[in-house]
Amino acid sequence: MSLYPSGTVTDPSIPFASLVDAWNARVAANPDGVALRYFDGVLTAAEVDEQSDALAVGLSEKGVRRGDRVGIYLQNIPQYAISMVALWKIGAAALLLNPMYRGAELRHLVDDAGTVGVICSDRSAEETADTLRGSSVRWLITTSDLDFQNRSDPRVFADPVRATSRVGEDLVNVVARHRGARPPRPDVSGDDTAIVAYTSGTTGTPKASLNTHANVLAVATTFGDFVGTADGDVVFAIAPLFHITGAVINAVVALIRDCTLVFANRFHPEVTLEMFVEHRVTFTIGSITVFNALYRVPDASPEHFASVKALYSGGAPIPPATVRKFEERFGHYIHNAFGMTETSSGVIAVPPGARAPVDPASGSLSIGIPLPLLDARVVSADGEPVLAGTAGELTLAGPQIIAGYLGRPEDTAKTFPCGRLHTGDVAIMDEHGWVYLVDRLKDQINVSGYKVWPREVEGVLHEHPAVYEAGVTGEPDDYQGERVVAYVSLNPGAHVSESELVAFVGDRLAAYKRPRQVHVVDSIPKTLTGKIRRTELRGRAGATM
Ligand code: AMP
């Protein structure tokens, strides 16, 4: 494709069978290279290798076997990478768990995935143990986000004193106990599952996407090469690793090359800017919200981005004005990238140095061009490819695309007819190969790249005694891309204020799922079969109160 950066190999072969082989090659090539940084903490590739070996031995002792799923329920800290590498070495899969999840939200995913154990923060260990009592989880390993650094920046660490957890064994102790030991080394293949990440699809039921070693390697290789990642680069893990983008095109891209992966715990704009300067960051990908947050820092300047080669944003639409403002102020263009949990993250992206065209009809910024090895086609409702410039459903095939979901053959058959992923996104591909997302088939709400299911929020609203019916939609938001807005009708004679309902939902759902507004309306528009007409609801804010 003529839009590829010069030197792009359009049909690359992936030189490794598994992520373990790729990791081993990296360690062998330069064991003293810095693999991880965490504030003032430094770990070389050899050290990460030794620690992940020791952890893998500890996990094997706990009974973890090839094919098992182990939850990683952590912020962006070095233990995330050490745990992933340890699990991969013994052929087990890392189940990515959002550390914002609590109670039933967490329990549901852990049960659904048949999780054998969880690696969690020592601060949430007791609550986690309570939540997971009676589940398939047999053990917890706890860890402190104060480990692997000495700076304990008060802006990030609210409490610089270690938590005293009474459950589970501390990861650092497990590593110390087995230091120097080598784990059993099953012959991990490309078909083994490396990452299990929960996704959406079109029905609203969270589904466990089985991202194999081959899938993850294909994306980390093609995306890494496409954006020009080279040995010696410094990748800042700005996207959360519990999302496929953070796990694959921040973490794995860096781990399988002689690159440094920088962690800074949860996102903090000022701290992030300082990390860019201190560690001479060359690449990162995050949601557009983080770039908005960096833009809002009054002292942010082009010097903070002096070492950067390319910035990417993925997971949610990017307003063209945001890209323009950011570039005017910092001299860096934010490149768009498209990915899904089912595509093991970024598979369509804007070439570095190129500018994404804007679709004149919708005003949407192109998500880029299909990366090498990806077969992207836009098809009509009957599955036939449409002409360039015509809207249809985006369908994808290639080594990046997962084969299916865990334990859901029907959903797999529906989403991957004839082995092609039907994305549920309506797209246009122009004659040059630029792809534009013009609409969504699905009702999913995208808050800063976090996906919210209207039905889940509606379900919680329905629990309130005053609520008769509820409908939830996503509405455009300058800062987060979209915000969750709820509409409810009330039972006869019932009274409840908007703020009471916001607080009610707030106690029951992760912060990003909470509606910013709840509007009381006379009735919720529905189809004859009882489906809520969300498009009719949108923009009704301020209707009958
Ligand atoms: P997830 O599997 O949670 O990562 O969500 C994937 C969905 O996010 C896609 O099907 C798109 O609807 C949306 N998405 C991902 N990247 C972009 C992007 N660059 N622009 C607009 N929407 C995006």
Side-chain angles (χ1 to χ4, degrees), residues 372-460:
L373 304 180
L374 185 76
D375 168 10
R377 289 182 211 163
V378 178
V379 302
S380 62
D382 53 13
E384 291 303 314
V386 298
L387 293 175
T390 312
E393 186 177 10
L394 180 64
T395 68
L396 305 169
Q400 301 96 327
I401 313 299
I402 63 161
Y405 304 114
L406 174 68
R408 295 180 186 274
E410 281 169 22
D411 287 319
T412 299
K414 210 160 68 187
T415 310
F416 300 86
C418 305
R420 287 192 77 80
L421 166 63
H422 283 238
T423 63
D425 290 308
V426 178
I428 290 174
M429 199 187 299
D430 71 16
E431 68 276 18
H432 306 291
W434 289 105
V435 183
Y436 305 85
L437 283 199
V438 287
D439 202 351
R440 288 183 205 171
L441 288 177
K442 42 199 171 191
D443 286 324
Q444 191 186 59
I445 306 169
N446 196 328
V447 181
S448 308
Y450 296 119
K451 309 307 180 311
V452 181
W453 290 106
R455 255 190 244 166
E456 185 184 7
V457 185
E458 287 159 14
V460 172

Side-chain angles (χ1 to χ4, degrees), residues 199-200 243-245 313-318 336-342 367 423 425 437 440 442 444 446 449 451:
T199 181
S200 36
H243 190 270
I244 196 78
T245 301
S313 168
I318 315 181
N336 203 350
F338 167 92
M340 299 172 71
T341 313
E342 294 94 330
I367 54 171
T423 63
D425 290 308
L437 283 199
R440 288 183 205 171
K442 42 199 171 191
Q444 191 186 59
N446 196 328
K451 309 307 180 311

